[in-house]
Each structure stands twice: as C-alpha cells, then as structure tokens.
Amino acid sequence: MRPLDCFTLCELSVFHPHCEPKRRLFRDGNPTRALFMGDTLAAQYECEGVFLLVTHYDHYEAVTHWFYVVTREGKVLDQAATPDYFGFLERVVVEAPATLAFGFYGTNDQWRVRVRPTGFWSFSGLALRLRLNRFLLRKRYMAFACQPGAPWAAK
C-alpha cells in the first residue's frame, strides 16, 4: 500500500439532484463517473491494483468518514462508513502491504482496514453496520476491525 496524490473531489452543480454532501471524483484532472459522499478527500492509497480512498464530511456535531475501494477506471467496488466521531482521521500508518491502521481525534480507538482486491463474502454484524445501501449485499473488498481504547482525555 502506497500513498497517492492523483485523486481530487469536485463540487457538483447546485442543480444536480445529489449536490450535498456528494462530490464528483477526478483522477489526474479527468472526471470519473463516481460520486462520493463527503466534501474532503482525507487519504488515498494504491493497493494491489485498486485504490483505497477516504473522504469525510464535518457536520459540526461530528465527522462522518467514508472508505471506498475504486478500480483504475473509477468504478466503486466497495463503500463503507465508520461511526461518527468528533474529530478527524489521525495516527494513519501503513501496517502491511494491504492494511492501514488509523484512529480519530478525540478517541483512543484503533481501527484497521484491510483491502482485498479479489473481494470476499461477509455478513458479520460489523460488515453490515458499516456498509451503505447498494453495497450491503455485495462482495466485500475491505475488512474492518476496531479495538476500543482507554477513555480519551485532552492534553
């Protein structure tokens, strides 16, 4: 897994029926067909021929984070969202060729996401809770794990 800087998000027209908080994905300045939730691209990685992209949307009471696995052509293979947290992504570390570890500001919870380019079937409780609408009953390309941490205290 290696970090990238070739993707960007662009606002949709105010006349587009899905303008908030979705954005059009661009790769190397060229638009793709993919619409992403969130208003900021927080992280992007290449992993075994697919891309892991992380977006977020700050709605003042919490921050929602979405994770996407995307092909080179811009097709979204998998989409998942973590529970809302008060803060943004932090402590991001590539742990293995296909595993990303991360946390969120305001918590000591430690998350891991493993990308699997071939896809797999999983209907575990966590897999179902993190998936959104049309990806609920599809193959998974990401496996998530969360290790709750000690209560957080501001320093």
Side-chain angles (χ1 to χ4, degrees), residues 43-59:
Q44 48 187 302
Y45 293 89
E46 182 177 16
C47 178
E48 299 179 28
V50 295
F51 302 103
L52 172 66
L53 305 177
V54 183
T55 65
H56 63 75
Y57 180 71
D58 182 1
H59 43 87

Side-chain angles (χ1 to χ4, degrees), residues 11-20:
E11 274 190 66
L12 298 173
S13 163
V14 294
F15 301 107
H16 194 280
H18 303 292
C19 66
E20 288 291 328

Side-chain angles (χ1 to χ4, degrees), residues 40-99:
T40 304
L41 191 56
Q44 48 187 302
Y45 293 89
E46 182 177 16
C47 178
E48 299 179 28
V50 295
F51 302 103
L52 172 66
L53 305 177
V54 183
T55 65
H56 63 75
Y57 180 71
D58 182 1
H59 43 87
Y60 303 108
E61 296 158 357
V63 180
T64 304
H65 293 83
W66 291 275
F67 291 74
Y68 297 88
V69 174
V70 180
T71 64
R72 293 191 183 285
E73 296 77 31
K75 179 183 176 189
V76 178
L77 297 175
D78 197 1
Q79 175 183 3
T82 58
D84 287 352
Y85 280 95
F86 179 70
F88 295 102
L89 209 60
E90 67 175 9
R91 302 183 312 269
V92 179
V93 177
V94 174
E95 284 191 339
T99 304

